[in-house]
Each structure stands twice: as C-alpha cells, then as structure tokens.
Amino acid sequence: MLEPLRQGLPPIDPGAVSTSASCALPARYEAVRGARKFTSATLDRWDMTDRFDDVALVVSELVTNALRHAVPADAPQEDGQNPPVRLHLMRWASRLVCAVRDPSGESPEARCSEEDFAAESGRGLFLVEAFSDSWGWHPLAGTLRGKVVWALFRVGPEQQQ
C-alpha cells in the first residue's frame, strides 16, 4: 500500500519503516479538523506528542490545499472505495513523513509575488516549507490517479542537525 507513496520521497530505507497510519478524508473542509485529530491520536500512539504543533500545522495546510485546489467541485462527497483525499503518516527511526494524496495531477505551486504575502490565503506551501525539514510532490503511477504532496520531519537524534 505504501509503495506508491514512497515514489519521489527522499532516499529512506523502506525496510526501516517502523509504523504507518492513514485515514480517508471527505471532500469537505471539516476534514481538516478530522485530519488534525487523526494526527494527534497517531502521534500520541507513537509517543511523539512533542512534534504535534509543527506536524499538525503542516497536515492542516496540505489537507486544505488538497480540498481547495485538487478536489473538483462536482466530486462525490462520500465514496468509501475511492476517497478523494487521504492522509498518510509514516514513521521511520529518524524521519516522520506526512503525505496527502489527492485526485489532481496538477503540481502544487507556491505564490511568489510580494502582493501575495499580504493576502489572507495562499501561503500554505510557505508554511509547509518553514515548519518541515523538506517537502515535495509526485504524481501517482499505475491505476492510482492524482498526486501525493509530502512533508518530511527529522525526529530523534537527527532532529538537532
């Protein structure tokens, strides 16, 4: 299940994955709150509550971007077999990856003009970049359509590097 999500991530030994969790999110903005709750519960189970603030902010931005820019307005609200947005959290010994899968193949783009910094929205990817150690995206392959936008956090001893 995780193999398509690993495509495009920085080199990490797939055999070193210690645990992962994922949840389907409905195509409604209330899903952002659900994603934060899922992240909180997952980090609590993994004894990583000290990382909640940064990780939850990034998860909120990634899910909001998926709902705002990647889910078509006429997308079915509920489809248990093929949810429009899915959040994946993957933990390695020294890394935590948050990945959000959505149905769009369009690349995420940060706004870059000075006037955009005064806007009330549109700074999500700047926040993702500021609060994570790295981020990126890749299109899905095979029968899966869309893309995955991911953010990587160093955890454990490497966190201080």
Side-chain angles (χ1 to χ4, degrees), residues 54-146:
D54 291 349
V55 174
L57 182 132
V58 167
V59 163
S60 295
E61 293 300 332
L62 294 179
V63 171
T64 298
N65 284 350
L67 293 170
R68 182 173 289 153
H69 303 293
V71 176
D74 60 352
Q77 289 297 307
E78 297 296 325
D79 180 357
Q81 298 289 56
N82 197 10
V85 177
R86 190 161 195 90
L87 169 62
H88 300 268
L89 300 173
M90 297 167 281
R91 181 175 179 209
W92 285 260
S94 61
R95 303 277 193 270
L96 171 69
V97 172
C98 306
V100 175
R101 186 180 82 195
D102 68 52
S104 171
E106 296 292 317
S107 90
E109 295 181 19
R111 293 186 182 171
C112 57
S113 72
E114 284 187 29
E115 62 202 40
D116 289 334
F117 288 111
E120 290 187 28
S121 66
R123 295 183 299 257
L125 291 176
F126 289 113
L127 291 173
V128 170
E129 186 170 345
F131 284 86
S132 67
D133 292 300
S134 64
W135 75 277
W137 76 280
H138 64 87
L140 293 172
T143 59
L144 294 175
R145 291 204 163 109

Side-chain angles (χ1 to χ4, degrees), residues 20-71:
S20 65
S22 71
C23 70
L25 299 169
R28 296 187 307 269
Y29 286 111
E30 296 83 30
V32 176
R33 184 176 355 165
R36 289 176 66 88
K37 286 183 179 182
F38 174 79
T39 300
S40 175
T42 301
L43 294 181
D44 187 46
R45 267 194 329 273
W46 294 348
D47 195 27
M48 298 179 72
T49 55
D50 59 317
R51 297 306 307 260
F52 174 74
D53 291 339
D54 291 349
V55 174
L57 182 132
V58 167
V59 163
S60 295
E61 293 300 332
L62 294 179
V63 171
T64 298
N65 284 350
L67 293 170
R68 182 173 289 153
H69 303 293
V71 176

